[in-house]
């Protein structure tokens, strides 16, 4: 059974803290994504990676960075957390080079910045 | 700018009826469109993909249509059940390659027993 696992379901952090959100997939997928989801705004792409050490900015990369040192792991980093980064964060993966590019999502991390 | 519109109002439907959800888009020419289901507090789950040269796709009680002239996709659930209650998201291939998609905000479906 395919699986995308996010390290935490719920996280509470203080303003200014450095926050790491981890995502691991066991499907040998090339593509990995980080989204945030807010009411009324839907899923918005933060960063995308199509290969190890490769990354591309999405629609809202400001205040975030990513790391992909291994194919199965994609980390999202909030350099200095702010209250407007309180959100649901979703990691996803998909195959490269296939038309049937369904994305597999993790269970989500609900981050609250206080 | 590219835009995807799904009805933000919840859709309430009686059990056993057919639910129809709409996804409209502008300034896109997507090669494919996807539909996902999302339950509260969970990540989206892929349901169906339809390509630009396909008019209709079916999977069990689900049917998707894709009209590239109208720039619209319709998602149907026949013989709806309370277990179908969820938010349904459409997603379109976005320009720039790398198989990225843009998601609509979703429509919440409530099937009433």
């Amino acid at each position: 059974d395919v699986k995308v696992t996010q390290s935490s379901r719920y996280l509470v952090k203080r303003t200014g803290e450095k926050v790491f959100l981890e995502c691991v997939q066991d499907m040998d997928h090339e593509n990995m994504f980080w989204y945030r989801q807010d009411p009324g705004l839907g899923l918005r792409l933060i960063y995308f990676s199509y290969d190890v050490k490769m990354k591309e900015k999405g629609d809202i990369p400001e205040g975030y960075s990513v790391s992909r040192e291994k194919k199965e792991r994609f980390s999202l980093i909030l350099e200095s957390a702010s209250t407007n980064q309180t959100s649901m964060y979703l990691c996803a993966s998909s195959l490269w080079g296939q038309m049937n590019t369904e994305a597999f999502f993790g269970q989500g991390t609900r981050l609250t910045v206080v | 700018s590219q835009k995807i519109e799904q009805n933000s109002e919840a859709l309430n439907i009686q059990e056993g009826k057919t639910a129809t959800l709409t996804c409209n888009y502008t300034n896109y020419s997507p090669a494919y469109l996807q539909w996902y289901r999302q339950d509260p507090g969970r990540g989206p789950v892929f349901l169906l993909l339809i390509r630009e040269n396909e008019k209709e796709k079916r999977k069990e009680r689900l049917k998707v249509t894709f009209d590239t002239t109208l720039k619209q996709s319709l998602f149907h659930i026949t013989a709806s059940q309370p277990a179908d209650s969820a938010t349904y998201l459409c997603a379109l291939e976005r320009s720039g390659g790398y198989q990225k998609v843009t998601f609509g905000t979703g429509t919440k479906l409530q099937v009433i027993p």
Side-chain angles (χ1 to χ4, degrees):
Chain A
D1 201 16
V2 296
K3 212 160 184 183
V4 178
T5 304
Q6 295 182 229
S7 51
S8 306
R9 286 298 305 273
Y10 300 95
L11 215 49
V12 180
K13 295 292 181 181
R14 294 199 178 277
T15 302
E17 273 192 82
K18 190 168 186 175
V19 181
F20 293 85
L21 302 183
E22 308 284 347
C23 176
V24 177
Q25 51 98 0
D26 63 1
M27 295 165 282
D28 202 33
H29 284 169
E30 292 83 5
N31 299 336
M32 294 190 76
F33 309 82
W34 275 106
Y35 293 91
R36 65 177 281 177
Q37 187 174 30
D38 302 286
L41 296 177
L43 276 86
R44 292 180 290 167
L45 182 64
I46 305 171
Y47 265 99
F48 161 69
S49 170
Y50 55 92
D51 201 354
V52 174
K53 297 193 187 294
M54 304 303 288
K55 62 186 178 186
E56 189 175 302
K57 291 180 181 178
D59 300 315
I60 49 165
E62 296 79 19
Y64 303 95
S65 62
V66 290
S67 172
R68 190 147 180 219
E69 296 295 320
K70 293 186 177 181
K71 189 176 185 180
E72 68 270 18
R73 187 178 296 269
F74 193 34
S75 302
L76 180 70
I77 303 150
L78 286 66
E79 297 290 343
S80 176
S82 64
T83 54
N84 63 13
Q85 292 178 310
T86 292
S87 186
M88 171 72 114
Y89 288 87
L90 289 158
C91 174
S93 72
S94 69
L95 272 172
W96 169 263
Q98 300 280 337
M99 270 303 290
N100 188 24
T101 52
E102 61 177 287
F104 294 86
F105 282 84
Q107 77 276 30
T109 296
R110 187 163 293 281
L111 172 68
T112 302
V113 182
V114 297
Chain B
S1 62
Q2 296 178 330
K3 201 173 177 183
I4 302 172
E5 286 183 351
Q6 292 186 259
N7 193 343
S8 59
E9 290 183 16
L11 178 65
N12 296 320
I13 195 159
Q14 208 70 35
E15 182 177 3
K17 301 290 186 185
T18 296
T20 299
L21 286 70
T22 305
C23 177
N24 294 303
Y25 59 93
T26 53
N27 297 322
Y28 271 100
S29 295
Y32 61 84
L33 184 149
Q34 302 172 334
W35 282 89
Y36 288 79
R37 170 188 172 133
Q38 187 174 23
D39 292 289
R42 315 293 291 186
V45 174
F46 173 80
L47 296 174
L48 280 168
L49 179 148
I50 186 165
R51 298 185 175 85
E52 61 179 337
N53 59 349
E54 297 174 319
K55 295 290 185 194
E56 183 179 296
K57 201 82 170 277
R58 290 177 186 262
K59 180 182 175 184
E60 297 170 356
R61 294 184 296 111
L62 308 180
K63 184 178 88 171
V64 172
T65 63
F66 192 12
D67 189 326
T68 54
T69 303
L70 288 179
K71 294 188 181 297
Q72 181 182 77
S73 175
L74 299 178
F75 177 80
H76 306 272
I77 306 175
T78 58
S80 58
Q81 304 165 1
D84 295 325
S85 299
T87 296
Y88 292 86
L89 308 169
C90 71
L92 277 70
E93 180 202 31
R94 54 197 285 170
S95 56
Y98 298 123
Q99 299 155 327
K100 293 182 288 187
V101 296
T102 297
F103 285 85
T105 53
T107 298
K108 186 173 182 179
L109 173 67
Q110 188 76 32
V111 180
I112 303 160

